[in-house]
């Protein structure tokens, strides 16, 4: 009976708990039983402490389930590879197949400039166009395989002419320039306007240029400029570059581009020491050929430093190298490691992303956004944007087949820019990402006293054949400022262990107890449930008894009576 002997009443159970528990303050409820004021005071105090405890618990759990992160920084001194470097000559090619349309486009540009700013504004453009026509007659590259392509099937549309829009509230001193776009039914029209006439003209020219270039047959081989026509000298770590160190691609705006160390697996590109002598040194041809002066208005070379196996998005990143200037670019590599999971969306290699990448290189956020936008273009506009790769079975947009594609494109692009297109929800950031911080310095090169012998040396050894007196070469050196890199890691602000530790601290603060005190409270709760059940059974037996009997406080007797009920 000693093993199963239980409390005779709730009062007895509560007094035993208050006298023997390790929770501070509960014994005051029993010791001050004769003083009701003290009993009430300690009761309120314990209830208030219990309320504050669970309020703190609620705050901690809400913070834990928000999954906050803290950034930790560390220095990494491991050997590393030199980053990938992409250079472009800023000279978009003039395709012979669409030369008639490009000449027509330049004539339209002259008319627009004359209309907007007078005849003097278009005089220089007319001279450049005549010069290019003469050069094409002398030695233009012909594509005989597509010589039967008829130019009569496509004509530039004059429906998209540049107009000046005056603001009646600001007077004639302030105006905007743009062109009008409408949907397929001729309604819902709007203007793509810009406060700068230069920006409006460039945007207008690119819009028509995309319509022209969309006429080229798919898979048409593009004219590849010789590497020596852009790079007169290339050295890395004091050694001359090899033909296998660069790959070529053509950008519709930035012209012929070359990427050095694109894969990042060749031991030749291992970074051994920091400093200018151990970096990549290039002497570049930096003149503007003026083939398409309204498509590329910058003279020089475009340079971008990026990670290996990554598509260089030169329209969003990179910097320009001026002609006649020696530029030194110091770089420092930073690593960003994101947690992912409950702590934020990120992807390891893009395999779990709902967007199908249209680029053959590794996953980047920009590649995902471009792919998502191109697929949205194909679905909603019926054609693809010329500057991005095409999905299978799609064609590029031009207004001979889709007259309202510009209206659809500019509205869709505005939604993407304002984060109202779901591409940002579908494209997470990479979980691991390399970033390169750069700092540049410039100086005149070559100097006035050295330019003669520098040009003479380049002419005899590196194929430099320019007789122009203007500065048409540039030098750029890219090097590691330090081989140690800075790594930024995301770590949970509240882990499970830290959460339990914080809960224990709050419990000790408000009750001065430990885990065993929690077990004591659970035991009190279990005893309350058992005692309530036994009293219910005893009351039920009393009601069924013929003569009735008075309640028996002894629980062992109640258990004995329950056995007698089973025997009956």
């Amino acid at each position: 009976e000693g093993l199963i002997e239980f409390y005779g009443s709730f009062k007895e159970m509560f007094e035993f708990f208050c006298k023997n528990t390790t929770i501070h303050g509960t014994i005051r409820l029993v010791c001050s039983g004769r003083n009701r004021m003290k009993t009430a005071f300690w009761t309120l105090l314990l209830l208030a402490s219990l309320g504050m405890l669970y309020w703190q618990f609620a705050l901690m759990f809400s913070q834990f389930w928000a999954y906050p992160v803290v950034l930790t920084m560390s220095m990494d001194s491991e050997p590393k590879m030199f980053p990938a470097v992409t250079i472009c000559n800023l000279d978009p090619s003039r395709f012979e197949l669409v030369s008639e349309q490009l000449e027509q486009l330049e004539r339209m540009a002259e008319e627009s400039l004359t209309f907007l700013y007078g005849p003097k504004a278009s005089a220089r453009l007319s001279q450049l166009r005549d010069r290019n026509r003469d050069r094409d007659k002398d030695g233009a590259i012909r594509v005989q395989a597509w010589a039967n392509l008829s130019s009569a099937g496509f004509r530039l549309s004059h429906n998209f002419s540049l107009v000046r829009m005056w603001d009646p509230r600001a007077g004639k001193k302030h105006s905007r320039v743009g062109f009008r776009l409408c949907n397929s039914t001729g309604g819902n029209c709007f203007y793509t306007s810009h406060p700068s006439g230069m920006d409006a003209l460039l945007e207008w020219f690119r819009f028509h240029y995309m319509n022209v270039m969309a006429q080229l047959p798919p898979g048409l081989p593009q004219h590849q400029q010789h590497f020596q026509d852009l790079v007169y000298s290339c050295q890395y770590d004091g050694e001359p570059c090899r033909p296998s160190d660069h790959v070529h691609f053509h950008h519709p705006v930035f012209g012929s581009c070359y990427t050095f160390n694109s894969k990042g697996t060749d031991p030749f590109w291992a970074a051994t020491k920091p400093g200018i002598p151990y970096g990549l040194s290039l002497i570049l041809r930096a003149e503007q050929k003026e083939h398409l002066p309204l498509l590329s208005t910058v003279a020089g070379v475009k340079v971008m430093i990026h990670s290996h196996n990554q598509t260089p998005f030169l329209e969003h990143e990179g910097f320009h190298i001026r002609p006649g200037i020696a530029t030194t670019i110091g770089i420092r590599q930073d690593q960003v490691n994101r947690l992912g999971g409950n702590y934020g969306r990120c992807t390891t290699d893009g395999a779990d992303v709902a967007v199908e990448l249209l680029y053959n290189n590794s996953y980047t956020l920009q590649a995902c956004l471009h792919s998502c936008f191109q697929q949205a273009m194909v679905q909603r506009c019926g054609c693809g944007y010329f500057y991005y790769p095409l999905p299978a079975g799609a064609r590029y947009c031009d207004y001979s087949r889709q007259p309202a594609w510009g209206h659809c494109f500019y509205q869709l692009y505005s939604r993407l820019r304002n984060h109202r297109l779901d591409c940002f929800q579908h494209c997470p950031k990479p979980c691991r990402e390399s970033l390169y911080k750069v700092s540049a310095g410039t100086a005149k090169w070559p100097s006035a006293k050295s330019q003669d012998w520098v040009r003479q040396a380049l002419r005899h050894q590196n194929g430099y054949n320019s007789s122009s007196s203007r500065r048409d070469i540039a030098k750029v050196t890219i090097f590691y400022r330090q081989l140690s890199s800075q790594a930024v890691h995301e770590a949970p602000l509240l882990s499970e262990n830290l959460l339990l530790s914080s809960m224990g601290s709050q419990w000790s603060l408000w009750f001065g107890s430990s885990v065993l005190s929690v077990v004591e409270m659970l035991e009190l709760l279990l005893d309350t449930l058992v005692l309530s059940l036994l009293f219910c059974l005893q009351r039920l037996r009393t009601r069924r008894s013929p003569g009735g009997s008075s309640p028996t406080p002894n629980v062992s007797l109640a258990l004995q009576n329950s056995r007698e009920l089973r025997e009956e």
Side-chain angles (χ1 to χ4, degrees):
E1 290 184 358
L3 291 176
I4 61 174
E5 187 173 357
F6 213 61
Y7 304 105
S9 63
F10 288 105
K11 182 179 180 181
E12 179 185 347
M13 179 184 62
F14 184 72
E15 288 183 354
F16 178 82
F17 173 80
C18 291
K19 292 180 178 179
N20 297 278
T21 185
T22 56
I23 300 176
H24 296 181
T26 53
I27 195 172
R28 294 288 183 177
L29 301 177
V30 180
C31 295
S32 59
R34 297 180 180 179
N35 191 332
R36 295 182 178 180
M37 183 176 295
K38 286 187 177 182
T39 303
F41 170 76
W42 281 100
T43 302
L44 293 175
L45 188 59
L46 286 174
L47 291 177
S49 299
L50 185 64
M52 290 296 297
L53 172 68
Y54 284 100
W55 178 59
Q56 292 294 323
F57 281 0
L59 292 179
M60 283 189 291
F61 276 106
S62 63
Q63 187 179 17
F64 176 77
W65 285 327
Y67 299 105
V69 296
V70 60
L71 297 180
T72 60
M73 303 180 69
S74 61
M75 297 299 294
D76 183 11
S77 300
E78 297 180 357
K80 52 178 59 65
M81 296 292 293
F82 199 76
V85 178
T86 297
I87 60 173
C88 299
N89 64 352
L90 297 179
D91 184 26
S93 298
R94 177 185 288 269
F95 287 87
E96 179 62 20
L97 285 177
V98 290
S99 60
E100 181 181 344
Q101 287 86 348
L102 292 177
E103 289 180 6
Q104 183 184 357
L105 177 57
E106 289 177 348
R107 287 194 296 269
M108 290 175 58
E110 293 177 29
E111 297 173 1
S112 299
L113 283 172
T114 302
F115 173 74
L116 293 174
Y117 305 110
K120 292 184 178 180
S122 61
R124 176 61 177 167
L125 181 62
S126 179
Q127 294 174 5
L128 294 176
R129 181 170 57 84
D130 295 338
R131 187 185 308 168
N132 291 332
R133 186 188 298 114
D134 295 338
R135 182 166 53 240
D136 292 339
K137 289 179 180 179
D138 295 337
I141 296 176
R142 309 290 177 178
V143 186
Q144 298 297 334
W146 302 98
N148 58 352
L149 180 66
S150 174
S151 62
F154 177 82
R155 283 289 183 268
L156 290 173
S157 175
H158 289 270
N159 295 328
F160 308 99
S161 299
L162 282 172
V163 294
R164 185 189 294 274
M165 293 162 286
W166 302 101
D167 189 354
R169 296 171 297 180
K172 292 189 175 182
K173 292 184 178 180
H174 300 280
S175 63
R176 300 177 69 90
V177 180
F179 53 98
R180 188 167 178 260
L181 295 165
C182 301
N183 61 13
S184 56
T185 61
N188 192 22
C189 299
F190 64 90
Y191 285 90
T192 61
S193 60
H194 301 269
S196 171
M198 181 190 67
D199 295 337
L201 186 62
L202 290 175
E203 184 66 26
W204 173 85
F205 192 92
R206 288 192 181 189
F207 175 74
H208 286 285
Y209 177 77
M210 285 187 288
N211 286 279
V212 172
M213 299 304 292
Q215 303 304 307
L216 293 174
L220 179 68
Q222 297 172 342
H223 169 55
Q224 178 174 349
Q225 184 190 35
H226 294 293
F227 180 72
Q228 293 77 12
D229 293 338
L230 175 61
V231 181
Y232 291 131
S233 173
C234 174
Q235 288 185 345
Y236 175 72
D237 197 7
E239 297 292 331
C241 300
R242 305 161 301 178
S244 60
D245 291 333
H246 61 266
V247 293
H248 173 266
F249 68 94
H250 185 269
H251 194 279
V253 175
F254 300 107
S256 291
C257 302
Y258 297 90
T259 299
F260 296 89
N261 192 26
S262 60
K263 299 299 181 182
T265 57
D266 194 338
F268 174 79
W269 291 93
T272 57
K273 297 178 182 178
I276 294 178
Y278 310 102
L280 175 65
S281 179
L282 301 169
I283 298 178
L284 305 171
R285 183 175 185 173
E287 68 174 349
Q288 187 179 22
K289 295 184 179 179
E290 299 171 343
H291 277 183
L292 292 169
L294 288 179
L295 188 63
S296 178
T297 60
V298 179
V301 180
K302 184 84 170 182
V303 176
M304 178 178 172
I305 301 170
H306 54 92
S307 300
H308 309 112
N309 296 314
Q310 177 181 322
T311 302
F313 295 101
L314 297 144
E315 60 271 26
H316 299 287
E317 301 178 50
F319 43 89
H320 294 93
I321 302 298
R322 293 174 52 191
I325 294 294
T327 306
T328 55
I329 303 172
I331 59 176
R332 190 189 72 183
Q333 183 182 15
D334 288 346
Q335 290 282 347
V336 178
N337 300 283
R338 300 180 177 91
L339 280 175
N342 294 326
Y343 295 94
R345 290 190 61 209
C346 72
T347 179
T348 303
D349 54 2
D352 54 343
V353 178
V355 177
E356 179 185 359
L357 291 184
L358 303 178
Y359 298 88
N360 295 326
N361 290 326
S362 59
Y363 177 90
T364 60
L365 176 61
Q366 205 67 45
C368 181
L369 290 176
H370 285 194
S371 301
C372 178
F373 179 80
Q374 185 73 304
Q375 293 170 7
M377 273 286 296
V378 173
Q379 293 174 2
R380 304 185 188 187
C381 305
C383 56
Y385 184 52
F386 177 73
Y387 290 161
Y388 301 160
L390 279 176
R395 297 187 65 177
Y396 286 122
C397 297
D398 72 86
Y399 44 57
S400 64
R401 290 189 297 263
Q402 298 92 10
W405 80 265
H407 179 274
C408 179
F409 162 75
Y410 282 103
Q411 283 196 334
L412 196 65
Y413 188 76
S414 177
R415 293 186 59 191
L416 175 69
R417 186 172 52 190
N418 297 327
H419 290 237
R420 290 189 289 111
L421 199 64
D422 56 0
C423 290
F424 285 94
Q425 286 74 31
H426 294 327
C427 294
K429 295 180 180 180
C431 292
R432 183 179 176 86
E433 189 175 12
S434 292
L435 304 176
Y436 293 95
K437 294 184 177 180
V438 301
S439 59
T442 59
K444 273 189 172 184
W445 183 87
S447 63
K449 293 185 178 181
S450 64
Q451 61 178 345
D452 293 336
W453 71 264
V454 168
R455 292 176 184 272
Q456 191 71 13
L458 289 174
R459 185 175 293 113
H460 284 85
Q461 185 175 355
N462 302 90
Y464 177 72
N465 56 5
S466 176
S467 59
S468 173
S469 60
R470 64 178 180 177
R471 299 181 183 274
D472 55 1
I473 54 177
K475 184 177 181 180
V476 57
T477 304
I478 304 172
F479 63 97
Y480 270 118
R481 287 182 293 168
Q482 53 186 9
L483 291 182
S484 59
S485 61
Q486 182 174 276
V488 181
H489 302 269
E490 286 185 350
L493 181 63
L494 277 179
S495 61
E496 288 81 359
N497 293 335
L498 186 59
L499 177 65
L500 290 176
S501 176
S502 300
M503 292 176 63
S505 299
Q506 293 294 329
W507 187 275
S508 299
L509 173 65
W510 298 105
F511 281 97
S513 53
S514 63
V515 176
L516 296 180
S517 304
V518 180
V519 177
E520 291 174 357
M521 293 189 65
L522 293 176
E523 181 187 18
L524 175 64
L525 179 61
L526 181 61
D527 290 346
T528 303
L529 293 176
V530 172
L531 189 59
S532 300
L533 180 60
L534 291 177
F535 282 149
C536 290
L537 290 175
Q538 184 177 7
R539 183 171 300 177
L540 181 61
R541 178 182 178 279
T542 303
R543 290 180 179 177
R544 292 183 178 180
S545 177
S549 60
S550 59
T552 306
N554 194 297
V555 178
S556 60
L557 180 60
L559 294 175
Q560 181 179 0
N561 293 337
S562 63
R563 288 197 297 270
E564 291 177 0
L565 280 173
R566 289 196 299 269
E567 292 176 358
E568 292 178 358

